[in-house]
Amino acid sequence: MAQPYSARSRAIEPFHVMALLARANQLQADGHDVIHLEIGEPDFTTAAPIVAAGQAALAAGHTRYTAARGLPALREAIAGFYQQRYRLSIDPQRILITPGGSGALLLAASLLVDPGKHWLLADPGYPCNRHFLRLVEGAAQLVPVGPEQRYQLTPQTVAEYWNADSVGALLASPANPTGTLLSAAELAALSQALKARGGHMVVDEIYHGLTYGVDASSVLEVDNDAFVLNSFSKYFGMTGWRLGWLVAPEAAVADLEKLAQNLYISAPSMAQHAALACFEPESMAIFEERRAAFSERRDFLLPALRELGFGIAVEPEGAFYLYADVSAFGGDAYAFCQHFLETEHVAFTPGLDFGRYKASHHVRFAYTQSLPRLEEAVARIARGLKSWQPHAV
């Protein structure tokens, strides 16, 4: 009889929303008009200048491995982006190009977390973060946070939850699923709290650029020793190209490069060549137009859901999500999501995917559909609330 699969594979939980997505796709295949508000992927396709650059790269034969740290020209372009957007002088040697933001997280976790050690993570938070820690035989110390902390770690929660096995904290600004930001002052205070305990600071800045009414501060403005995860997926709209980056302290680069060589050899070469076009003025203008569209969507959906009775205590300043309390309607959030999918064909995500703290009372809406589709979704949700029974399955 074959041995059972690894304990780590059994410990990593599936996305609960994937079952809902599969059902949504089935309903769609059966001819129903499903409005997808469940997946964190922009509805915009990759901008035309980037597609053209990718096609040119393929035509020119840029299909071979690159250096493990990535194309020098792309690392230099990213460094230029930090100079332009944040007024930061980042040595391109500190930047590693990775297969998506996930590749950056894998490198950081592999470098910083020994078996049995853990990072502090906000609960609710992006589920893959804790699963990557389990993959490297570490763990996530989930810290319950609510609207009173704006769903973010604070120096006080660091002090309360830090223990002998803690080696750092993973923060997200803007955060998924809540869309909240950490200011420069808050980042500085958290940096001080972690350094006082000998801990590493890792910050997910994947949704930078997608902020509304305020610019996000990079942790590198206040802590040059922090590790920064970023991606070309969200603001730059390159989800399927699987490209991200990691900014690391200079002393860590050699070990990170060694890990990259062994874990994935290099990020996709054609995607790297295509990404060079992201920083051209024509592309940046497209990204800013899309940011304005997301802002318009948020400004419609937020008050519309509140008017229907959804509890959204903190106004999100970034990303493209609304994390809503459904306690006022009674019942379980997963059954609530099932109800609206089956009766009104509107798909959104149960809080169970984002942690444990009050997860059964929350859902996440992704405003990654056009404004007319969001208007239709709100109308359907209003209708579906009339037929919702708290104990429905």
Side-chain angles (χ1 to χ4, degrees), residues 9-24:
S9 69
R10 296 194 301 273
I12 291 175
E13 303 168 23
F15 282 119
H16 294 89
V17 73
M18 297 312 292
L20 291 172
L21 178 61
R23 178 57 180 156

PDB file of all heavy atoms in Angstrom, residues 9-24:
ATOM      1  N   SER A   9       1.100  18.792   2.588  1.00  0.00           N
ATOM      2  CA  SER A   9       0.080  18.908   1.550  1.00  0.00           C
ATOM      3  C   SER A   9      -1.317  18.784   2.147  1.00  0.00           C
ATOM      4  O   SER A   9      -2.261  19.444   1.687  1.00  0.00           O
ATOM      5  CB  SER A   9       0.295  17.851   0.466  1.00  0.00           C
ATOM      6  OG  SER A   9       0.031  16.551   0.961  1.00  0.00           O
ATOM      7  N   ARG A  10      -1.449  17.955   3.183  1.00  0.00           N
ATOM      8  CA  ARG A  10      -2.751  17.805   3.827  1.00  0.00           C
ATOM      9  C   ARG A  10      -3.105  19.034   4.655  1.00  0.00           C
ATOM     10  O   ARG A  10      -4.281  19.351   4.841  1.00  0.00           O
ATOM     11  CB  ARG A  10      -2.758  16.551   4.710  1.00  0.00           C
ATOM     12  CG  ARG A  10      -2.573  15.251   3.931  1.00  0.00           C
ATOM     13  CD  ARG A  10      -2.927  14.034   4.780  1.00  0.00           C
ATOM     14  NE  ARG A  10      -2.129  13.927   5.998  1.00  0.00           N
ATOM     15  CZ  ARG A  10      -0.942  13.328   6.059  1.00  0.00           C
ATOM     16  NH1 ARG A  10      -0.398  12.792   4.951  1.00  0.00           N
ATOM     17  NH2 ARG A  10      -0.283  13.244   7.200  1.00  0.00           N
ATOM     18  N   ALA A  11      -2.090  19.729   5.162  1.00  0.00           N
ATOM     19  CA  ALA A  11      -2.341  20.885   6.023  1.00  0.00           C
ATOM     20  C   ALA A  11      -2.735  22.131   5.238  1.00  0.00           C
ATOM     21  O   ALA A  11      -3.352  23.040   5.791  1.00  0.00           O
ATOM     22  CB  ALA A  11      -1.101  21.183   6.869  1.00  0.00           C
ATOM     23  N   ILE A  12      -2.363  22.195   3.960  1.00  0.00           N
ATOM     24  CA  ILE A  12      -2.673  23.376   3.160  1.00  0.00           C
ATOM     25  C   ILE A  12      -4.121  23.280   2.677  1.00  0.00           C
ATOM     26  O   ILE A  12      -4.506  22.326   2.007  1.00  0.00           O
ATOM     27  CB  ILE A  12      -1.693  23.504   1.980  1.00  0.00           C
ATOM     28  CG1 ILE A  12      -0.296  23.842   2.528  1.00  0.00           C
ATOM     29  CG2 ILE A  12      -2.153  24.571   0.989  1.00  0.00           C
ATOM     30  CD1 ILE A  12       0.793  23.873   1.491  1.00  0.00           C
ATOM     31  N   GLU A  13      -4.906  24.272   3.060  1.00  0.00           N
ATOM     32  CA  GLU A  13      -6.332  24.263   2.780  1.00  0.00           C
ATOM     33  C   GLU A  13      -6.611  24.734   1.351  1.00  0.00           C
ATOM     34  O   GLU A  13      -5.897  25.576   0.817  1.00  0.00           O
ATOM     35  CB  GLU A  13      -7.063  25.190   3.757  1.00  0.00           C
ATOM     36  CG  GLU A  13      -6.832  24.855   5.223  1.00  0.00           C
ATOM     37  CD  GLU A  13      -7.335  25.960   6.136  1.00  0.00           C
ATOM     38  OE1 GLU A  13      -8.215  26.736   5.708  1.00  0.00           O
ATOM     39  OE2 GLU A  13      -6.840  26.059   7.266  1.00  0.00           O
ATOM     40  N   PRO A  14      -7.667  24.206   0.744  1.00  0.00           N
ATOM     41  CA  PRO A  14      -8.060  24.697  -0.586  1.00  0.00           C
ATOM     42  C   PRO A  14      -8.756  26.047  -0.462  1.00  0.00           C
ATOM     43  O   PRO A  14      -9.209  26.440   0.622  1.00  0.00           O
ATOM     44  CB  PRO A  14      -9.038  23.625  -1.067  1.00  0.00           C
ATOM     45  CG  PRO A  14      -9.669  23.125   0.197  1.00  0.00           C
ATOM     46  CD  PRO A  14      -8.564  23.149   1.234  1.00  0.00           C
ATOM     47  N   PHE A  15      -8.835  26.766  -1.556  1.00  0.00           N
ATOM     48  CA  PHE A  15      -9.675  27.957  -1.607  1.00  0.00           C
ATOM     49  C   PHE A  15     -11.129  27.507  -1.588  1.00  0.00           C
ATOM     50  O   PHE A  15     -11.574  26.783  -2.476  1.00  0.00           O
ATOM     51  CB  PHE A  15      -9.415  28.753  -2.887  1.00  0.00           C
ATOM     52  CG  PHE A  15      -8.168  29.582  -2.865  1.00  0.00           C
ATOM     53  CD1 PHE A  15      -7.158  29.345  -3.775  1.00  0.00           C
ATOM     54  CD2 PHE A  15      -8.008  30.608  -1.955  1.00  0.00           C
ATOM     55  CE1 PHE A  15      -6.010  30.115  -3.782  1.00  0.00           C
ATOM     56  CE2 PHE A  15      -6.866  31.381  -1.945  1.00  0.00           C
ATOM     57  CZ  PHE A  15      -5.861  31.135  -2.859  1.00  0.00           C
ATOM     58  N   HIS A  16     -11.868  27.927  -0.590  1.00  0.00           N
ATOM     59  CA  HIS A  16     -13.278  27.551  -0.542  1.00  0.00           C
ATOM     60  C   HIS A  16     -14.061  28.181  -1.691  1.00  0.00           C
ATOM     61  O   HIS A  16     -15.052  27.628  -2.163  1.00  0.00           O
ATOM     62  CB  HIS A  16     -13.880  27.969   0.801  1.00  0.00           C
ATOM     63  CG  HIS A  16     -13.290  27.227   1.960  1.00  0.00           C
ATOM     64  ND1 HIS A  16     -12.160  27.671   2.626  1.00  0.00           N
ATOM     65  CD2 HIS A  16     -13.628  26.058   2.548  1.00  0.00           C
ATOM     66  CE1 HIS A  16     -11.856  26.811   3.582  1.00  0.00           C
ATOM     67  NE2 HIS A  16     -12.725  25.824   3.545  1.00  0.00           N
ATOM     68  N   VAL A  17     -13.571  29.325  -2.155  1.00  0.00           N
ATOM     69  CA  VAL A  17     -14.273  29.987  -3.252  1.00  0.00           C
ATOM     70  C   VAL A  17     -14.180  29.186  -4.551  1.00  0.00           C
ATOM     71  O   VAL A  17     -15.011  29.354  -5.445  1.00  0.00           O
ATOM     72  CB  VAL A  17     -13.723  31.418  -3.471  1.00  0.00           C
ATOM     73  CG1 VAL A  17     -12.343  31.384  -4.118  1.00  0.00           C
ATOM     74  CG2 VAL A  17     -14.675  32.251  -4.326  1.00  0.00           C
ATOM     75  N   MET A  18     -13.204  28.276  -4.656  1.00  0.00           N
ATOM     76  CA  MET A  18     -13.062  27.534  -5.904  1.00  0.00           C
ATOM     77  C   MET A  18     -14.265  26.628  -6.159  1.00  0.00           C
ATOM     78  O   MET A  18     -14.648  26.408  -7.314  1.00  0.00           O
ATOM     79  CB  MET A  18     -11.768  26.723  -5.896  1.00  0.00           C
ATOM     80  CG  MET A  18     -10.502  27.578  -5.823  1.00  0.00           C
ATOM     81  SD  MET A  18     -10.472  28.960  -6.997  1.00  0.00           S
ATOM     82  CE  MET A  18     -10.354  28.104  -8.555  1.00  0.00           C
ATOM     83  N   ALA A  19     -14.867  26.110  -5.082  1.00  0.00           N
ATOM     84  CA  ALA A  19     -16.082  25.315  -5.262  1.00  0.00           C
ATOM     85  C   ALA A  19     -17.208  26.194  -5.790  1.00  0.00           C
ATOM     86  O   ALA A  19     -17.987  25.774  -6.667  1.00  0.00           O
ATOM     87  CB  ALA A  19     -16.489  24.667  -3.943  1.00  0.00           C
ATOM     88  N   LEU A  20     -17.280  27.420  -5.269  1.00  0.00           N
ATOM     89  CA  LEU A  20     -18.288  28.352  -5.763  1.00  0.00           C
ATOM     90  C   LEU A  20     -17.993  28.756  -7.202  1.00  0.00           C
ATOM     91  O   LEU A  20     -18.908  28.883  -8.025  1.00  0.00           O
ATOM     92  CB  LEU A  20     -18.330  29.592  -4.869  1.00  0.00           C
ATOM     93  CG  LEU A  20     -18.888  29.385  -3.453  1.00  0.00           C
ATOM     94  CD1 LEU A  20     -18.683  30.638  -2.616  1.00  0.00           C
ATOM     95  CD2 LEU A  20     -20.359  29.020  -3.499  1.00  0.00           C
ATOM     96  N   LEU A  21     -16.710  28.939  -7.518  1.00  0.00           N
ATOM     97  CA  LEU A  21     -16.335  29.304  -8.879  1.00  0.00           C
ATOM     98  C   LEU A  21     -16.692  28.187  -9.850  1.00  0.00           C
ATOM     99  O   LEU A  21     -17.197  28.445 -10.952  1.00  0.00           O
ATOM    100  CB  LEU A  21     -14.848  29.617  -8.951  1.00  0.00           C
ATOM    101  CG  LEU A  21     -14.299  29.967 -10.340  1.00  0.00           C
ATOM    102  CD1 LEU A  21     -14.983  31.211 -10.898  1.00  0.00           C
ATOM    103  CD2 LEU A  21     -12.788  30.174 -10.281  1.00  0.00           C
ATOM    104  N   ALA A  22     -16.432  26.954  -9.455  1.00  0.00           N
ATOM    105  CA  ALA A  22     -16.770  25.820 -10.315  1.00  0.00           C
ATOM    106  C   ALA A  22     -18.272  25.780 -10.579  1.00  0.00           C
ATOM    107  O   ALA A  22     -18.723  25.536 -11.712  1.00  0.00           O
ATOM    108  CB  ALA A  22     -16.303  24.516  -9.680  1.00  0.00           C
ATOM    109  N   ARG A  23     -19.047  26.036  -9.527  1.00  0.00           N
ATOM    110  CA  ARG A  23     -20.500  26.056  -9.692  1.00  0.00           C
ATOM    111  C   ARG A  23     -20.928  27.233 -10.564  1.00  0.00           C
ATOM    112  O   ARG A  23     -21.812  27.099 -11.426  1.00  0.00           O
ATOM    113  CB  ARG A  23     -21.172  26.124  -8.325  1.00  0.00           C
ATOM    114  CG  ARG A  23     -22.695  26.208  -8.366  1.00  0.00           C
ATOM    115  CD  ARG A  23     -23.313  25.050  -9.115  1.00  0.00           C
ATOM    116  NE  ARG A  23     -24.770  25.162  -9.147  1.00  0.00           N
ATOM    117  CZ  ARG A  23     -25.550  24.601 -10.071  1.00  0.00           C
ATOM    118  NH1 ARG A  23     -25.006  23.874 -11.048  1.00  0.00           N
ATOM    119  NH2 ARG A  23     -26.852  24.737 -10.027  1.00  0.00           N
ATOM    120  N   ALA A  24     -20.273  28.391 -10.364  1.00  0.00           N
ATOM    121  CA  ALA A  24     -20.588  29.565 -11.177  1.00  0.00           C
ATOM    122  C   ALA A  24     -20.311  29.295 -12.647  1.00  0.00           C
ATOM    123  O   ALA A  24     -21.107  29.656 -13.533  1.00  0.00           O
ATOM    124  CB  ALA A  24     -19.775  30.772 -10.688  1.00  0.00           C
TER     125      ALA A  24
END
